[in-house]
Amino acid sequence: MPIATVNPATGETLRTFEELTPDGIERCLAAADAAFRRYRTTTFADRARLLERAADLLEADQEDIARTMTTEMGKPLTAARAEAAKCVKAMRWYAANAERLLADERPPEAEVRDAGAAHARVHYRPLGPVLAVMPWNFPLWQVIRFAAPALMAGNVGLLKHASNVPQTALYLEDLFRRAGYPDGCFQTLLVGSRAVEGILRDRRVAAATLTGSEPAGRSVASIAGDEVKKTVLELGGSDPYVVMPSADVDKAAQVAVTARAQNNGQSCIAAKRFIVHTDVYDAFEKRFTAGMAALTVGDPMDESTDVGPLASEAGRDGLQELVDDAVRGGAKVLCGGRRPEGLDRGWFYEPTVLTGITPDMRIHQEETFGPVATLYRVADIDEAVKVANDTYFGLSSNVWTRDDEDVQRFVRDLEAGGVYVNGMTASHPALPFGGVKRSGYGRELSGHGIKEFCNATTVWQATS
């Protein structure tokens, strides 16, 4: 795949970029290695000043970088602005909290004595250069949620971004450079996927983090495992959105539209499978379908647009194949199910609701990366849990109920990295984010995320 900015609203190639040569990659790796040896000895206060400066610059650049993201991958401009603001918030949160999160841990005195020590503690040290393989759907946020904690921990970053968002990728390198980070602390590598293995196998690269598809995750995990290097993977999701009889159905249906259509439906944590108790199914179906059908599809630069184009022609065609397969199997299209009329240029797709889904349909198991929702009717909580867990993925989940017993049951039994009750899944810097099953392993954000790329070092000291 060429490294290029292709406007998904028009299909027009705007800019192309040359891939780094092997010599160029070597220079970047050498610079990262040298930078880490110096940067790892800086104080938390030093790192916080740099990250706060980067946050200030990003805040000032919000409109420009939002337009770049929209141009490169098609998200509505309003959503792009919100993504930039979210990144600023996370950067400031880690600048303020990293020292506390990585403070030495001291066991109780009795346990220290039992270990035969006069003093003992756990000290957190950075690992080194971390390779980040990042996707196009949240081209700024996915990188910042790795970079902010990694840099505050004393690591340095090597970014291999998706090939269709090169300008966003280069902006990120420039952002950290302008903030005053030493040369080599954060570098963008304009390379294709074939170059990842060689970079990851290089002895100077300490670890890797990947957000992306399951096949990409398998590949990176396999290479890193062979090299015995730490990885964090955030892969696909097919999140359930469960609505029980005690729920506020009007609100559940309203939020469901946003939960499915956010980011043009191209979000791992978007709700995708809507599992509704039979007592409230008809009311929910009516309200949800009407809400999806009312969304405005069009130019993502237009402030009134709700859903822009999909990021690629291949992505749109793959989504259509899933819908067509379901329809051939007997699924009913309640709204959408096709390319919108009047939008012949670009890779647009109508917000779509399908019902009558059966386990033999591809859409029952495969992730729908676009504004397509599947509706399921269930008889009770047991069936709701069964359908919710009937997926290879386990990223997050949404539950709508005002019954405390229902909440406890879902928290206990849903196979997911998060359970969001009476609200839609959203990431926040203070809360860990990640999944189970084929949605990956490890956690980003919060104290859990910053410790992923740290060496938890036991310090044991006898009486002098």
Side-chain angles (χ1 to χ4, degrees):
M1 180 178 182
I3 299 174
T5 296
V6 181
N7 187 340
T10 64
E12 180 186 4
T13 299
L14 303 178
R15 288 186 65 183
T16 58
F17 296 81
E18 291 296 324
E19 187 170 342
L20 268 180
T21 64
D23 286 345
I25 294 172
E26 170 56 31
R27 286 193 294 271
C28 290
L29 292 173
D33 184 53
F36 174 66
R37 296 180 189 281
R38 298 187 302 269
Y39 183 70
R40 66 186 296 275
T41 64
T42 57
T43 66
F44 282 109
D46 292 336
R47 299 171 199 166
R49 280 192 293 271
L50 289 169
L51 193 58
E52 283 282 5
R53 175 59 178 156
D56 291 344
L57 290 169
L58 177 54
E59 188 170 48
D61 295 342
Q62 181 183 27
E63 185 65 20
D64 287 343
I65 189 56
R67 288 183 174 276
T68 298
M69 287 190 284
T70 295
T71 297
E72 291 200 304
M73 58 72 57
K75 70 172 70 228
L77 183 58
T78 52
R81 291 191 190 110
E83 181 173 338
K86 186 174 184 176
C87 291
V88 171
K89 178 178 180 178
M91 294 162 82
R92 290 178 175 155
W93 189 87
Y94 271 109
N97 291 285
E99 185 171 11
R100 172 183 61 84
L101 297 171
L102 295 180
D104 287 355
E105 296 174 8
R106 300 181 185 277
E109 286 299 321
E111 295 178 7
V112 172
R113 290 194 300 272
D114 189 58
H119 307 284
R121 58 194 170 96
V122 178
H123 179 67
Y124 290 96
R125 297 187 292 174
L127 293 181
V130 180
L131 173 64
V133 182
M134 293 288 111
W136 47 261
N137 59 332
F138 291 95
L140 204 67
W141 170 243
Q142 302 281 14
V143 178
I144 292 298
R145 76 182 191 190
F146 142 74
L151 289 167
M152 282 304 302
N155 296 296
V156 302
L158 294 162
L159 171 63
K160 186 276 182 242
H161 217 324
S163 294
N164 61 330
V165 289
Q167 294 187 68
T168 305
L170 291 170
Y171 168 81
L172 283 156
E173 179 180 82
D174 185 60
L175 173 69
F176 289 112
R177 180 192 59 77
R178 287 186 289 134
Y181 280 86
D183 290 345
C185 275
F186 188 93
Q187 299 175 85
T188 287
L189 311 181
L190 289 184
V191 296
S193 57
R194 288 177 295 181
V196 169
E197 179 170 358
I199 296 168
L200 185 50
R201 288 192 184 278
D202 190 282
R203 62 175 179 79
R204 292 163 292 191
V205 174
T209 180
L210 177 141
T211 299
S213 68
E214 184 185 339
R218 288 179 182 274
S219 176
V220 165
S222 176
I223 296 164
D226 191 48
E227 295 291 337
V228 197
K229 293 182 179 181
K230 176 70 180 289
T231 53
V232 171
L233 303 180
E234 193 263 279
L235 309 178
S238 189
D239 291 3
Y241 190 102
V242 182
V243 183
M244 297 298 288
S246 64
D248 180 337
V249 176
D250 286 339
K251 186 175 181 181
Q254 179 184 5
V255 174
V257 173
T258 303
R260 177 66 284 237
Q262 60 175 311
N263 207 47
N264 303 341
Q266 299 167 124
S267 171
C268 295
I269 58 169
K272 299 183 176 77
R273 297 175 299 126
F274 296 81
I275 301 162
V276 187
H277 192 285
T278 188
D279 290 353
V280 292
Y281 179 90
D282 291 338
F284 179 88
E285 178 191 275
K286 179 180 178 181
R287 291 165 174 78
F288 177 54
T289 303
M292 289 286 282
L295 293 171
T296 299
V297 181
D299 180 0
M301 290 292 186
D302 189 325
E303 301 282 351
S304 65
T305 292
D306 299 310
V307 179
L310 298 191
S312 70
E313 186 175 20
R316 185 193 61 185
D317 292 347
L319 190 67
Q320 185 69 66
E321 289 174 8
L322 287 178
V323 171
D324 290 345
D325 174 79
V327 171
R328 285 194 297 270
K332 181 180 178 182
V333 179
L334 300 183
C335 70
R338 60 182 182 177
R339 303 173 188 178
E341 295 179 2
L343 291 171
D344 298 328
R345 300 177 69 202
W347 304 311
F348 296 91
Y349 199 79
E350 289 183 340
T352 299
V353 179
L354 302 176
T355 190
I357 305 300
T358 58
D360 58 316
M361 297 174 185
R362 289 175 55 198
I363 205 166
H364 180 71
Q365 285 292 349
E366 296 181 33
E367 182 177 20
T368 50
F369 223 58
V372 174
T374 53
L375 269 175
Y376 297 79
R377 184 194 294 264
V378 294
D380 52 33
I381 194 169
D382 291 333
E383 188 178 5
V385 170
K386 181 180 179 181
V387 174
N389 289 340
D390 188 22
T391 173
Y392 297 123
F393 298 108
L395 192 53
S396 190
S397 61
N398 310 259
V399 174
W400 287 78
T401 179
R402 288 181 279 203
D403 185 319
D404 288 342
E405 290 187 6
D406 283 355
V407 172
Q408 295 308 312
R409 173 70 187 280
F410 287 121
V411 169
R412 186 192 73 185
D413 290 347
L414 288 181
E415 297 167 355
V419 179
Y420 285 70
V421 181
N422 297 329
M424 60 180 272
T425 297
S427 53
H428 185 280
L431 299 174
F433 180 83
V436 295
K437 301 197 288 190
R438 293 188 185 177
S439 288
Y441 53 74
R443 290 296 180 266
E444 296 177 289
L445 303 176
S446 77
H448 295 273
I450 198 170
K451 290 175 180 175
E452 287 283 6
F453 296 117
C454 287
N455 174 1
T457 307
T458 298
V459 181
W460 183 100
Q461 185 176 349
T463 304
S464 57

